[in-house]
Amino acid sequence: MKTSIATVSVSGNLREKLAAISAAGFDGVEIFEQDFIADDRSPREVGQMIKDHGLEITLFQPFRDFEGLPSPFREKTFDRARHKFDLMQELGTDLILFCSTVHPDSLGGIDRAAEDFARLGEIAAAQGIRVGYEALAWGKHVNDHRDAWEIVRRADHPNVGLIVDSFHTLGRGIDPNSIRRIPGDKIFFVQLADAPKIDMDLLFWSRHFRNMPGEGDLDVTGFMASVIATGYTGPISLEIFNDQFRGSAPKQVAQQGYRSLINLMDDVRRQEPEAAIDLPDMPERIDVQGVAFVEFASRGDEARHLEHTLKTLGFVKVGQHRTKALGLWQQGDIRILINEQEGDLAASMFNAHGTSVCDIGLAVGSATDTAKRARALGGDPFSQTLSPGQLDIPAIRGLGGGVMHFLDDSQALGDVWTVEFDHLASPDHSVGLKKVDHIAQTVSYDEMLNWSLFYTSLFAMKKAPTIDVTDPDGLVRSQALQATSDGLRITLNGAETHRTFAGSFLAESFGAPVQHIAFTCDDIFEAAQALVRKGFEPLEMHANYYADLNARFDLPAATLKKMQTLNILYDEEAGRAFYHLYSRPKEGALFFEILQRDQSYNGYGAPNAPYRIAAQKRLMRAKGMPRK
Ligand code: MG
Ligand code: MG
């Protein structure tokens, strides 16, 4: 299977684009003519530069407004084509994309267009060029791949074929199964893009909102399964126009693209088992069973502050690593590590971000399979020198510089806590925190799609619809992801401005992604009282908030009063209750949340977020945020 991406999908100049595309693992590139024209090298030199990057040109595009023109435009358009064919020979590629015309003078007529393509096929054949015809969703006369195919069929020339593009087909709601009726050898090329479902002008939607397969709402898997069913064996190429990607680092977008393509083809292979897809074998998406540990990088006074916070949350230091400056804190099934080891990854994370989460350990069915799928998707394996007695636990680099370890029940890994740590004390269960409910990560808005694809391609997780959270100083987009068996919940918050609480966290921590960790308990009133006894300082909620709760929900006065005393927030969904409270933001604006959820309440108390953020900001303004 040959993987490819259009140069227009990635930011930077042509050389930067090629370097990023090659490094991400692609086999080829579609050369977007504008990228070529903007470069100062000759066509031959550009062709050589592409080869030097280990890439081949899979397609040259676009040629616009060709078919169905009256004289004298018609003659001119053939001359224009001859000129482009010469250029392609210099570049070293033989396939060009012709998109359906939007020319105001074009006449339409399937046979007229077929005649034009038959004649073009002759010119192309003489120069060893193949022509692919694509129906633009907003084409003047042809906006449906079924009509484009009819034109190609009637042109009946070996050098003329069809190009299908998932956006143009799915964006117009055309059934992709109709592609199954087209012979595979007449499909010259396949372009893929996803998009969020937004009701807007097709052209504007296409130019600004396309995204990688798996990041939007279109059935790109069904589309690709139809293409593969025809026997198509050519390149599979991404053509993404997206404002966010244009502003992101080329390397990141190329990696994201590669991940999405491999992930998609793996899905297609599972959906269409008869099809021959030449893709290395990989385990299917991994179901996360739970959060095994959360590790903080910290040092000195900050580490002592964090330990104090953990104590007030009812955690006990139960272990000390035998060879590293690494303390283990526990309560219920929650394990928190504080890593102060010099020369470790944690040390570089601390230097870059201050006290921050540097590692997340996930409990999975098979750690080896998880690492294998992560690598197949282009993920970087992570390893560091093991100290004596330390177990070699499979790990990858997560996004934002952190690490993710995978733990399973295999003999070697089952006992990491007893093998590597000296036992200091037993956990105290008086507060009653049980497990990690969710981990909230804050990223810049531009990186949200990348992060959510990271999780949904590697793990069996479903996405909730994106919601907007109102910060007094701007909007924060929030996307929740939940593992199939509920072993992992992640909320991704995309900050667009540094004036928001999430944005200032991002700025102050230089991109350290975990902003808060939420723990579950069975009885939040008991937990909150136990916390007070431990000296825990809750985030204070004001009377106006409780007056509003009183108006919105049917809560007994005594309960409401207790909630106010204990600073407990409340939400419900179809009668299912959700109670939560927050710590005050501490080291690097990090904070903790304690919650009690009815089993079928699936949210995160989003309606309370504006009031929680306002309370956090009041604290920030009154006292200034704790600095590193
Ligand atoms: Mg296209
Ligand atoms: Mg939360």
Side-chain angles (χ1 to χ4, degrees), residues 30 61 97 134 136 163-165 168 191 210 239 241:
E30 294 178 29
Q61 72 136 320
L97 177 145
E134 176 194 59
L136 291 178
I163 292 181
V164 287
D165 179 317
H168 295 302
Q191 295 179 313
R210 288 188 180 209
E239 190 198 29
F241 307 90

mmCIF file of all heavy atoms in Angstrom, residues 30 61 97 134 136 163-165 168 191 210 239 241, ligand 1:
data_model
loop_
_atom_site.group_PDB
_atom_site.id
_atom_site.type_symbol
_atom_site.label_atom_id
_atom_site.label_comp_id
_atom_site.label_asym_id
_atom_site.label_seq_id
_atom_site.Cartn_x
_atom_site.Cartn_y
_atom_site.Cartn_z
ATOM 1 N N GLU A 30 1.491 14.312 -3.446
ATOM 2 C CA GLU A 30 0.811 15.006 -4.536
ATOM 3 C C GLU A 30 1.431 16.384 -4.584
ATOM 4 O O GLU A 30 1.435 17.082 -3.563
ATOM 5 C CB GLU A 30 -0.667 15.225 -4.222
ATOM 6 C CG GLU A 30 -1.531 14.010 -4.116
ATOM 7 C CD GLU A 30 -2.971 14.415 -3.749
ATOM 8 O OE1 GLU A 30 -3.433 15.528 -4.093
ATOM 9 O OE2 GLU A 30 -3.633 13.596 -3.097
ATOM 10 N N GLN A 61 -1.276 18.316 -9.425
ATOM 11 C CA GLN A 61 -2.636 18.889 -9.442
ATOM 12 C C GLN A 61 -2.629 20.366 -9.090
ATOM 13 O O GLN A 61 -1.657 20.847 -8.528
ATOM 14 C CB GLN A 61 -3.507 18.095 -8.468
ATOM 15 C CG GLN A 61 -3.175 18.367 -7.004
ATOM 16 C CD GLN A 61 -4.418 18.554 -6.166
ATOM 17 O OE1 GLN A 61 -5.367 19.187 -6.623
ATOM 18 N NE2 GLN A 61 -4.418 18.049 -4.943
ATOM 19 N N LEU A 97 -4.301 15.550 -12.145
ATOM 20 C CA LEU A 97 -5.715 15.643 -11.768
ATOM 21 C C LEU A 97 -6.386 16.782 -12.537
ATOM 22 O O LEU A 97 -5.920 17.929 -12.515
ATOM 23 C CB LEU A 97 -5.838 15.892 -10.263
ATOM 24 C CG LEU A 97 -7.247 16.098 -9.691
ATOM 25 C CD1 LEU A 97 -7.342 15.490 -8.298
ATOM 26 C CD2 LEU A 97 -7.641 17.580 -9.616
ATOM 27 N N GLU A 134 -11.764 14.358 -11.714
ATOM 28 C CA GLU A 134 -12.394 14.398 -10.391
ATOM 29 C C GLU A 134 -13.625 15.312 -10.411
ATOM 30 O O GLU A 134 -13.553 16.436 -10.917
ATOM 31 C CB GLU A 134 -11.400 14.949 -9.364
ATOM 32 C CG GLU A 134 -11.983 15.133 -7.970
ATOM 33 C CD GLU A 134 -11.094 16.000 -7.058
ATOM 34 O OE1 GLU A 134 -10.823 17.169 -7.412
ATOM 35 O OE2 GLU A 134 -10.673 15.508 -6.014
ATOM 36 N N LEU A 136 -15.703 17.833 -8.657
ATOM 37 C CA LEU A 136 -15.740 18.739 -7.497
ATOM 38 C C LEU A 136 -17.178 18.797 -6.994
ATOM 39 O O LEU A 136 -18.109 18.844 -7.800
ATOM 40 C CB LEU A 136 -15.326 20.154 -7.895
ATOM 41 C CG LEU A 136 -13.871 20.411 -8.282
ATOM 42 C CD1 LEU A 136 -13.718 21.875 -8.689
ATOM 43 C CD2 LEU A 136 -12.945 20.075 -7.125
ATOM 44 N N ILE A 163 -10.727 10.024 -10.717
ATOM 45 C CA ILE A 163 -10.154 10.259 -9.384
ATOM 46 C C ILE A 163 -11.322 10.457 -8.421
ATOM 47 O O ILE A 163 -12.222 11.257 -8.690
ATOM 48 C CB ILE A 163 -9.203 11.472 -9.372
ATOM 49 C CG1 ILE A 163 -7.943 11.144 -10.200
ATOM 50 C CG2 ILE A 163 -8.829 11.853 -7.931
ATOM 51 C CD1 ILE A 163 -6.900 12.231 -10.257
ATOM 52 N N VAL A 164 -11.326 9.693 -7.338
ATOM 53 C CA VAL A 164 -12.391 9.871 -6.348
ATOM 54 C C VAL A 164 -11.812 10.539 -5.101
ATOM 55 O O VAL A 164 -10.641 10.346 -4.759
ATOM 56 C CB VAL A 164 -13.094 8.540 -5.979
ATOM 57 C CG1 VAL A 164 -13.989 8.082 -7.111
ATOM 58 C CG2 VAL A 164 -12.092 7.457 -5.599
ATOM 59 N N ASP A 165 -12.633 11.352 -4.478
ATOM 60 C CA ASP A 165 -12.200 12.139 -3.320
ATOM 61 C C ASP A 165 -13.316 12.021 -2.278
ATOM 62 O O ASP A 165 -14.476 12.355 -2.558
ATOM 63 C CB ASP A 165 -11.995 13.597 -3.777
ATOM 64 C CG ASP A 165 -11.568 14.529 -2.646
ATOM 65 O OD1 ASP A 165 -12.136 14.438 -1.540
ATOM 66 O OD2 ASP A 165 -10.691 15.382 -2.889
ATOM 67 N N HIS A 168 -15.599 15.127 -1.637
ATOM 68 C CA HIS A 168 -16.577 15.502 -2.662
ATOM 69 C C HIS A 168 -17.767 14.541 -2.691
ATOM 70 O O HIS A 168 -18.890 14.952 -2.960
ATOM 71 C CB HIS A 168 -15.907 15.571 -4.039
ATOM 72 C CG HIS A 168 -14.884 16.662 -4.133
ATOM 73 N ND1 HIS A 168 -15.185 17.979 -3.897
ATOM 74 C CD2 HIS A 168 -13.564 16.619 -4.400
ATOM 75 C CE1 HIS A 168 -14.088 18.712 -4.024
ATOM 76 N NE2 HIS A 168 -13.079 17.915 -4.327
ATOM 77 N N GLN A 191 -8.241 10.262 -3.189
ATOM 78 C CA GLN A 191 -7.897 11.316 -2.225
ATOM 79 C C GLN A 191 -8.840 11.215 -1.034
ATOM 80 O O GLN A 191 -10.043 11.014 -1.201
ATOM 81 C CB GLN A 191 -8.031 12.691 -2.873
ATOM 82 C CG GLN A 191 -7.035 12.894 -3.997
ATOM 83 C CD GLN A 191 -7.202 14.245 -4.636
ATOM 84 O OE1 GLN A 191 -8.319 14.657 -4.952
ATOM 85 N NE2 GLN A 191 -6.096 14.943 -4.824
ATOM 86 N N ARG A 210 -11.661 20.817 6.141
ATOM 87 C CA ARG A 210 -11.320 19.405 5.984
ATOM 88 C C ARG A 210 -10.412 18.999 7.129
ATOM 89 O O ARG A 210 -9.663 19.827 7.658
ATOM 90 C CB ARG A 210 -10.557 19.188 4.678
ATOM 91 C CG ARG A 210 -11.393 19.312 3.428
ATOM 92 C CD ARG A 210 -10.554 18.879 2.235
ATOM 93 N NE ARG A 210 -11.298 18.982 0.995
ATOM 94 C CZ ARG A 210 -11.084 18.200 -0.066
ATOM 95 N NH1 ARG A 210 -10.139 17.270 -0.025
ATOM 96 N NH2 ARG A 210 -11.795 18.349 -1.163
ATOM 97 N N GLU A 239 -5.693 14.680 1.109
ATOM 98 C CA GLU A 239 -5.738 16.038 0.550
ATOM 99 C C GLU A 239 -6.551 16.888 1.520
ATOM 100 O O GLU A 239 -7.774 16.869 1.505
ATOM 101 C CB GLU A 239 -6.392 16.030 -0.833
ATOM 102 C CG GLU A 239 -6.241 17.370 -1.546
ATOM 103 C CD GLU A 239 -7.231 17.538 -2.688
ATOM 104 O OE1 GLU A 239 -8.340 16.962 -2.634
ATOM 105 O OE2 GLU A 239 -6.897 18.271 -3.642
ATOM 106 N N PHE A 241 -7.377 20.510 3.315
ATOM 107 C CA PHE A 241 -7.300 21.968 3.421
ATOM 108 C C PHE A 241 -7.858 22.325 4.787
ATOM 109 O O PHE A 241 -9.033 22.083 5.041
ATOM 110 C CB PHE A 241 -8.149 22.660 2.359
ATOM 111 C CG PHE A 241 -7.869 22.218 0.955
ATOM 112 C CD1 PHE A 241 -8.562 21.150 0.402
ATOM 113 C CD2 PHE A 241 -6.921 22.866 0.179
ATOM 114 C CE1 PHE A 241 -8.321 20.730 -0.901
ATOM 115 C CE2 PHE A 241 -6.681 22.456 -1.125
ATOM 116 C CZ PHE A 241 -7.375 21.392 -1.666
HETATM 117 MG MG MG B 1 -9.508 16.358 -4.433
#
